[in-house]
């Protein structure tokens, strides 16, 4: 049974006349009559007792009326809620961003979009890349920050924004600090402080070490932010994202690239099917990200003191 028929039945029962009910419903009397007849055929009972001047509920119709009224009211409330939700969706946009978004210059991109489209309400979900990937695969978020190593291939739309890599952070008097680029094979003889096992950076490090046949001795695995004191104390060599390593300003520490290079690109990944607002965001990023990436490359300068050509 069509849900709209329930409401039409209730209106007709309250009005008592086809003409008045049809006028209230903005349909013709003939259409209303066909709908009521369809209900009666499906229910197997007459709903009204008709006469020349008016119509009254039948005994069956009287029993059916309160239930139909509650059901029609519930359906109308559901329709109103759906319309309100769709209206909010038309004015909102959900994106997923990674922890430490400033490392990937995400805030400046979001602010740029907000300035261009102040009419939209931007909702942000922040999580690890693993969490973002899960939300993306389940269809809960269709635009996310994502990274890809050279041996990976994006299977969805992807707008690159920059490149970074893993580096070694160690005391300047450490023997390995003499290298401009530290061979990964030499890390097998060192105590290592590495990212959390669920972090994408650890997955890239693990892939590179396995390719070299290296079995590292890991003495710390977790959040590598704030590990400078442990490195200075001689606990081991810290393997960290270059962008994070550049935030270390402690003079006793040196930053060195690795050989072979453990690099990755980062940017915005988006699903094949997008809402109008999501398409607007993607088009905006497709326009501004290449320009921002080129501007960052031109503004970048080598860090001579740290002897590492790290990306900016």
């Amino acid at each position: 049974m069509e849900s709209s028929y329930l409401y039409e039945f209730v209106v007709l029962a309250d009005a008592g006349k086809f003409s008045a009910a049809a006028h209230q419903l903005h349909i013709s009397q003939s259409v209303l009559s066909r709908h009521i007849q369809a209900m009666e055929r499906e229910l197997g009972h007459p709903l009204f007792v008709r006469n020349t001047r008016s119509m009254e509920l039948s005994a069956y119709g009287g029993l059916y009326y309160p239930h139909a009224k509650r059901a029609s009211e519930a359906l109308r409330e559901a329709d109103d809620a759906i319309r309100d939700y769709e209206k909010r969706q038309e004015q909102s946009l959900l994106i997923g961003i990674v922890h430490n978004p400033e490392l990937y210059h995400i805030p400046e991109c979001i602010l740029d979009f907000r300035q261009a489209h102040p009419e939209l309400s931007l909702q942000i979900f922040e999580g690890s890349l693993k969490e973002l990937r899960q939300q993306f695969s389940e269809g809960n978020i269709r635009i996310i920050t994502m990274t890809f190593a050279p041996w990976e291939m994006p299977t969805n739309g992807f707008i690159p924004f920059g490149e970074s890599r893993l580096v070694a952070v160690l005391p300047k008097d450490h023997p390995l600090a003499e290298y401009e680029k530290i061979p990964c094979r030499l890390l097998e003889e060192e105590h290592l402080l590495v990212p959390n096992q669920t972090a994408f950076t650890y997955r890239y490090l693990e892939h590179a070490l396995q390719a070299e046949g290296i079995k590292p001795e890991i003495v710390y695995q977790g959040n590598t932010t704030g590990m400078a004191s442990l490195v200075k104390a001689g606990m081991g060599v810290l393997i960290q994202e270059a962008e994070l390593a550049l935030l270390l300003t402690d003079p006793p520490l040196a930053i060195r690239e690795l050989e072979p290079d453990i690099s990755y690109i980062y940017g915005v990944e988006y699903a094949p099917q997008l809402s109008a607002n999501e398409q607007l965001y993607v088009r905006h990023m497709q326009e501004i990200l290449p320009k921002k990436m080129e501007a960052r490359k031109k503004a970048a300068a080598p860090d001579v003191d740290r002897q590492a050509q790290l990306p900016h």
Side-chain angles (χ1 to χ4, degrees), residues 167-174 176-179 182 231-232 237-238 245 248 250-257 305-308 310:
V167 296
V169 180
L170 62 168
K172 285 189 175 181
D173 58 0
H174 192 288
L176 292 182
E178 298 179 1
Y179 288 86
I182 299 175
V231 177
K232 285 193 299 180
V237 175
L238 172 64
L248 299 175
D250 205 320
L253 297 179
I255 299 175
R256 299 293 182 265
E257 292 185 355
D305 182 59
R306 292 181 180 183
Q307 302 178 21
L310 302 180

Side-chain angles (χ1 to χ4, degrees), residues 6-203:
L6 286 174
Y7 178 64
E8 293 174 3
F9 162 70
V10 171
V11 171
L12 179 57
D14 291 340
K17 292 183 178 180
F18 269 102
S19 58
H23 178 76
Q24 183 178 338
L25 293 167
H26 304 290
I27 60 176
S28 67
Q29 293 186 49
S30 60
V31 169
L32 177 58
S33 179
R34 287 199 302 272
H35 291 175
I36 297 301
Q37 291 173 7
M39 287 185 65
E40 291 176 328
R41 285 195 300 272
E42 185 170 342
L43 294 171
H45 295 275
L47 293 171
F48 293 95
V49 177
R50 298 165 175 80
N51 55 50
T52 55
R53 294 185 178 181
S54 63
M55 54 195 315
E56 297 178 351
L57 288 169
S58 66
Y60 184 91
L63 291 173
Y64 190 73
Y65 173 82
H67 304 289
K69 186 176 180 65
R70 287 195 297 270
S72 64
E73 288 175 350
L75 289 170
R76 288 175 65 83
E77 290 175 359
D79 289 340
D80 291 341
I82 291 172
R83 281 193 293 270
D84 289 343
Y85 172 80
E86 291 176 344
K87 185 176 181 180
R88 291 194 303 271
Q89 289 298 103
E90 290 176 358
Q91 299 175 337
S92 66
L93 173 66
L94 174 64
I95 62 173
I97 65 174
V98 71
H99 293 315
N100 300 318
E102 66 281 356
L103 297 180
Y104 305 98
H105 309 274
I106 296 171
E108 65 183 73
C109 296
I110 292 176
L111 289 175
D112 190 282
F113 179 80
R114 286 293 302 273
Q115 290 174 359
H117 299 281
E119 74 282 3
L120 295 180
S121 174
L122 194 61
Q123 301 176 32
I124 300 173
F125 172 88
E126 181 178 319
S128 67
L129 288 180
K130 183 178 181 181
E131 292 170 329
L132 293 178
R133 173 57 60 198
Q134 181 176 352
Q135 292 293 324
F136 187 87
S137 63
E138 293 175 355
N140 300 323
I141 305 177
R142 292 188 289 268
I143 301 176
I144 58 174
T145 303
M146 191 48 59
T147 69
F148 292 96
W151 42 271
E152 295 178 309
M153 182 67 68
T155 57
N156 298 287
F158 182 71
I159 312 169
F161 183 29
E163 180 181 355
S164 191
R165 53 186 38 82
L166 297 184
V167 296
V169 180
L170 62 168
K172 285 189 175 181
D173 58 0
H174 192 288
L176 292 182
E178 298 179 1
Y179 288 86
E180 183 176 346
K181 293 187 176 182
I182 299 175
C184 285
R185 57 182 172 76
L186 298 183
L187 296 178
E188 190 168 29
E189 303 173 3
E190 301 293 331
H191 293 167
L192 298 185
L193 291 76
V194 301
N196 191 288
Q197 193 170 11
T198 61
F200 77 99
T201 45
Y202 177 75
R203 183 161 55 90

Side-chain angles (χ1 to χ4, degrees), residues 159-161 284-295:
I159 312 169
F161 183 29
H284 187 84
M285 292 301 136
Q286 287 172 332
E287 179 181 347
I288 69 167
L289 289 186
K291 296 178 181 178
K292 287 182 176 292
M293 187 162 57
E294 185 62 28

Side-chain angles (χ1 to χ4, degrees), residues 105 162-163 243 246 266 293 296-297 299-303 310-312:
H105 309 274
E163 180 181 355
E243 299 281 358
L246 287 170
Y266 56 87
M293 187 162 57
R296 288 171 56 221
K297 286 181 179 179
D303 192 332
L310 302 180
H312 294 269

